[in-house]
Every structure is written in C-alpha cells, then in structure tokens.
C-alpha cells in the first residue's frame, strides 16, 4: 500500500464508523497564540476538547499536515522527520477508551492486515482500565502489554495549555534480529519504573535489563498513539477535568507506510524513495554510506519548507519565518556537503508536487512561488555558507580538544552570518561539540555593547526656526517628495552646508 492508499483506507474506515472527514488545517494554527506551528493532528480540534467551541460532529477524522522541530537533530536516521502527515480519529465526549482501542485494533489487524503477533501495546503505569480492555476484550497476551510513566504514556498539552491525558500506543515489532537484546518482561519493567517514580528519579531506561517497546534500539516502530483526553491543563500546570472524556489519536502515515511496505525505514517508503532519487540525480551522488543522511535531510526539509511556504510562511529573521529560514539553510548545507555549489533545493519542488500535489492541492497551486522563494534564499546563502565552512575547517584543524570555543561560533555568526545551529551540526558530524554556554556569553556581551552604543549622546535640544510636523510615509512608499525644513551643523541652524561638513 502506498501513502495515498493508506490515507484513503484510514479515512474511509472512520467515515464508515460515523466520523466526519475534516480537511487538513494550515500548518499555522488559527487563533492559537500558544503554538507556533500545527505540531499534531489534534491541534485544530483543541477548542472542541475544552468545550470552547461545538464540533460539527462528535466523531471526526482527519489527515493533518504536522510540523515539529523537536527531533530535528535526529533527522537523517531511519525514522525522524520534521514534517509528517498524522492520521487521526477524534471523539468529543462520545466513545472513550473502549471504542478507541477496538477501532484501532480492528483497523490495524483486519484492514491493514498486520500480524497481531507482531503488535505490542503500551499503557500508562496507572491505567488499569486500558490494561483490562487490551487483555480481556481485545485478547492481547499480557507479555505484550507494557506500562510506562508520564514521559512516555502521558500526552499533552500541545502548547502551554490545553487538553491532556494518559495514552496507549501500538508498536510494531521488527523482530529480535533488529533489537539489542532479549525482552525484559512487562512485570519487571513496571516494577523498575514504579520504583523510579517513587524515588523521584526519571525513567530508568539505561538500567533496564532487556529490550522493550520504547527501547532506543531499532526493533520497535511506534505506529499509533491513542490519547484518552481527560483534563484541561492551564499554563501553570493545574489540571481540571474536561467537560467530557474524549479521544485523540495519531498515526504517522510515513511509519505505517514503512511497516506496510515491509521496510523498516521511513525513507524507504514510496514518497521518500522518489524524493531521494530526485536528490541523487540532481547532485549526482548516490544515497549510500555516509551520504545517506544528507539525502534524507534534504528530502525531509524539502517537504517541511515547501509545505510551510504553501501555508503562507516566508523566510525572515523572526518567529515562524526564522524557523523556516534555518531549515532551508540546513538543507542547503547538506546539499553543499554532497557537492552542490549552486542553489538546488528549488529544483526538487517538482518531484514533491508529483508525490503529494494531489492530496495537498495548495502545494501544486503555489509551486512557482515556493520554487522562487527557495531559489532566492539559496542564492542569498550560498556565499555565506562557503565562507563559514572554510573558516570552520581552519578552526577545527587547529583545535586541540573536542570542543569548539563559543567565541569562534559567535564570530562565525556575528561577523559572517553563519548560523550557530549549522556550526553545531557540522561539529557534531565530526565528533565535536560547541561550547554553547560560551556562545551565549559572547552573545550577551555583544548585546550589552550594542545597547551601550545605542545610547548615544543626545545633544541639548536644538532650536530651529521652523516648527512643522512631518508625516512618515515609509510604510506605504519607497520614494516620496519632501521639503528640507532646516540644515544643522555643530548644533546650530545654518543656511548652507558643504559636502564634507559633518551634520549636527
Ligand atoms: N496528539 C497525539 C500525538 O500527537 C495523538 O494524536 O501523538
């Protein structure tokens, strides 16, 4: 099944079960000042969970464009992405744990046809209700039901306030050969995590004597997260019950596609394979060995930047635009690493539109604007990049330890415009780290200097013969007619000035 077929099957299944198909909302959350981007499928539904708005129907389903930078440093491995499509079903005070679990199990095992013996489930440490449903109603053997604490099985809120609750996940087992060691039993893991919690220590994964669904190794793929929304949490962290217990689920289409297509890697799925092939033919470099990660980063960042721009974000130096600019620059640096000395990202947009333009017509409609913006950003950044990397290479070759000094990273940023996250990326690939505290220190010293410099001496008020207010037209026009009202030199009004005479 390719991505389009998976999406159709998921949405169709929930439509049959009485859910209203809601279109994907913009990556810019509407009317939610607590979030910069739509980071999960439930974001457009936030006001429905809290009762602020009435939903068009109590059962809804969607395939939502989502963007997160939480794992950006991990992009390049086999599963992390900044942009993904999240399939979800939502119940606003209608069905709860039982309904959500039964739907999910039927869809995964009967419609997607995944082998139930390869599925593991996780629940919250205290969620005995979910445990009983999985064991008694669904029939999952207890050896495959694992309990975890808040860091893994409590979801939300999205942003600093909103709906939140315990969750239950379905994981796909790639097999013992993909794993690190034999499994720890659910009871042993529960005992360890409960003891950790009682002692106030964070999750003890490094000490767990065996593999388990949330292990860092590559054995398990998390397929689906079922959130049992029960509380509203405010910005101070206080929780009160929601108007009604509700359901929010999220299934990353790329991960299901990987499992359904028998590959263990998001980037080996149809959409990504085609994007990576386009990147290979443009750069002339095969996605093999240590080149693989750069092609993956380019494919992921091409998707995220193009979708952000199609939703109206433009590169800039602040807010959303700054995040976008940093991601574009990151992709350009990886292209440079593959030998691309000219701007290239814009040339890949056609392949993306071929892959995803049918499901997301806004992308196809905006293709030429997206291409043009990527081209301009590329042209603007290419010189900075070459210069920055040259300086960085010199600094690294004369480095004695494994840490690049913060003031070097700062000089690259301040004098040459080379972003510190690129410096950090570049260093990480060479087994080095950047002294970020030193960087921050140099940055705050610079800010203090800039503040001092801006407090220039105001001369005492100069009396001029003309007293007439002026209108600023610069917001509307770049050119305009004006009348010179006075000439000042050495703090005095004069009738004429020579070209080299310092003005007042
Ligand atoms: N909100 C949950 C998540 O993002 C489920 O949709 O994982």
């Amino acid at each position: 099944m390719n991505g389009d077929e998976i999406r159709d099957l998921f949405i169709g299944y929930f439509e049959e079960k009485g859910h209203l198909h809601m279109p994907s909302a913009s990556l810019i959350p509407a009317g939610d000042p607590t979030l910069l981007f739509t980071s999960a499928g439930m974001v457009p539904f936030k006001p429905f969970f809290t009762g602020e708005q009435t939903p068009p129907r109590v059962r809804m389903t969607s395939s939502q464009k989502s963007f997160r930078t939480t794992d950006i440093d991990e992009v390049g491995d086999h599963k992390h992405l900044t942009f993904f499509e999240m399939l979800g079903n939502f119940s606003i005070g209608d069905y709860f744990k039982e309904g959500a679990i039964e739907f999910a199990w039927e869809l995964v095992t009967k419609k997607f046809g995944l082998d139930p013996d390869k599925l593991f489930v996780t629940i919250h440490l205290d969620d005995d209700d979910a445990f009983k449903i999985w064991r008694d109603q669904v029939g999952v053997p207890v050896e495959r039901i694992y309990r975890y604490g808040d860091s893994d099985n409590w979801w939300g809120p999205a942003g600093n306030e909103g709906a939140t609750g315990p969750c239950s996940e379905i994981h796909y087992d790639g097999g013992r050969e993909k794993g690190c060691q034999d499994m720890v039993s659910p009871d042993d893991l529960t005992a360890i995590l409960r003891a950790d919690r009682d002692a106030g220590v964070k999750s003890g994964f490094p000490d767990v004597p065996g593999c388990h669904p949330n292990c860092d190794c590559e054995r398990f793929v998390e397929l689906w997260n079922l959130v049992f929304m029960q509380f509203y949490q405010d910005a101070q962290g206080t929780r009160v019950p929601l108007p009604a217990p509700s359901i929010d689920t999220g299934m990353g289409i790329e991960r299901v596609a990987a499992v359904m297509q028998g590959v263990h890697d998001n980037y080996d799925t149809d959409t990504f394979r085609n994007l990576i092939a386009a990147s290979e033919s443009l750069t002339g470099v095969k996605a093999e060995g240590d080149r693989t990660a750069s092609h993956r980063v380019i494919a992921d960042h091409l998707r995220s930047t193009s979708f952000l721009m199609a939703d109206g974000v433009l590169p800039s130096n602040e807010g959303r635009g700054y995040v976008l600019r940093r991601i574009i620059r990151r992709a350009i640096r990886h292209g440079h690493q593959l030998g691309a000395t000219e701007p290239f990202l814009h040339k890949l947009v056609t392949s993306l539109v071929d892959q995803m333009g049918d499901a997301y017509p806004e992308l196809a409609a905006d293709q030429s604007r997206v291409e043009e913006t990527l081209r301009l950003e590329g042209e603007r950044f290419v010189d900075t990049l070459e210069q920055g990397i040259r300086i960085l290479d010199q600094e690294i070759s004369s480095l004695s330890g494994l840490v690049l000094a913060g003031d070097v990273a700062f000089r690259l940023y301040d004098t040459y415009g080379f972003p510190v996250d690129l410096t950090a990326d570049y260093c990480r690939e060479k087994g080095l780290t950047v002294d970020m505290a030193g960087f921050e220190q140099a940055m705050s010293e610079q800010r203090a200097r800039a503040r001092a410099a801006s407090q220039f001496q105001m001369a005492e008020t100069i009396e001029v013969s003309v007293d007439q207010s002026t209108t600023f037209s610069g917001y509307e026009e770049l050119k305009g007619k004006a009348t010179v009202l006075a000439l000042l030199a050495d703090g005095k009004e004069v009738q004429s000035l020579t070209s080299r005479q310092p003005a007042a």
Side-chain angles (χ1 to χ4, degrees), residues 40-42 68 86 155 225 227 248-250:
M42 60 78 69
R68 294 180 188 170
M86 199 171 243
W155 199 87
N225 186 12
V227 186
D248 147 38
T249 84

Side-chain angles (χ1 to χ4, degrees), residues 296-427:
R296 288 172 170 177
V297 171
I298 290 167
D300 171 77
H301 290 11
L302 170 71
R303 290 187 356 142
S304 52
T305 56
S306 301
F307 274 98
L308 284 171
M309 284 185 273
D311 275 349
V313 184
L314 282 173
S316 77
N317 283 337
E318 54 188 26
R320 297 188 177 99
Y322 184 54
V323 176
L324 170 63
R325 174 163 281 164
R326 282 169 49 205
I327 296 185
I328 296 174
R329 292 183 168 189
R330 230 171 156 261
I332 294 172
R333 187 184 70 79
H334 279 275
H336 187 265
Q337 208 147 296
L338 297 173
T341 49
E342 298 284 311
F344 68 99
L345 208 51
H346 60 287
K347 297 185 185 157
L348 295 172
V349 176
T350 300
S351 314
L352 178 64
V353 172
D354 287 347
Q355 293 301 308
M356 303 188 77
D358 283 347
Y360 295 98
E362 68 273 29
L363 191 65
D366 244 355
Q367 178 172 353
S368 50
R369 198 175 58 83
V370 169
E371 286 171 336
E372 185 60 5
T373 313
L374 285 175
R375 188 181 64 75
L376 288 172
E377 278 294 294
E379 279 171 4
R380 184 186 288 195
F381 186 55
V382 136
D383 294 341
T384 306
L385 178 68
E386 300 230 323
Q387 190 176 36
I389 287 180
R390 224 174 17 251
I391 296 170
L392 204 45
D393 280 338
Q394 279 161 11
E395 292 287 346
I396 289 174
S397 66
S398 58
L399 203 64
S400 48
L402 292 175
V403 182
L404 185 82
D407 60 341
V408 173
F410 180 71
R411 184 159 52 82
L412 274 160
Y413 163 75
D414 191 46
T415 313
Y416 300 100
F418 195 75
V420 69
D421 46 343
L422 291 196
T423 303
D425 274 359
Y426 195 76
C427 287

Side-chain angles (χ1 to χ4, degrees), residues 27 29 83 102 132 159 166 173 179 214 275 279 317 374 378 388 398 407-408:
L27 286 168
F83 173 87
E102 283 176 356
K132 286 186 196 130
D173 180 9
N214 279 319
L275 294 181
S279 166
N317 283 337
L374 285 175
S398 58
D407 60 341
V408 173

Side-chain angles (χ1 to χ4, degrees), residues 439-451:
F439 173 83
E440 294 300 340
Q441 172 70 23
M443 180 79 118
S444 58
E445 284 168 13
Q446 162 74 339
R447 283 202 194 104
R449 277 195 300 276
R451 263 198 305 278

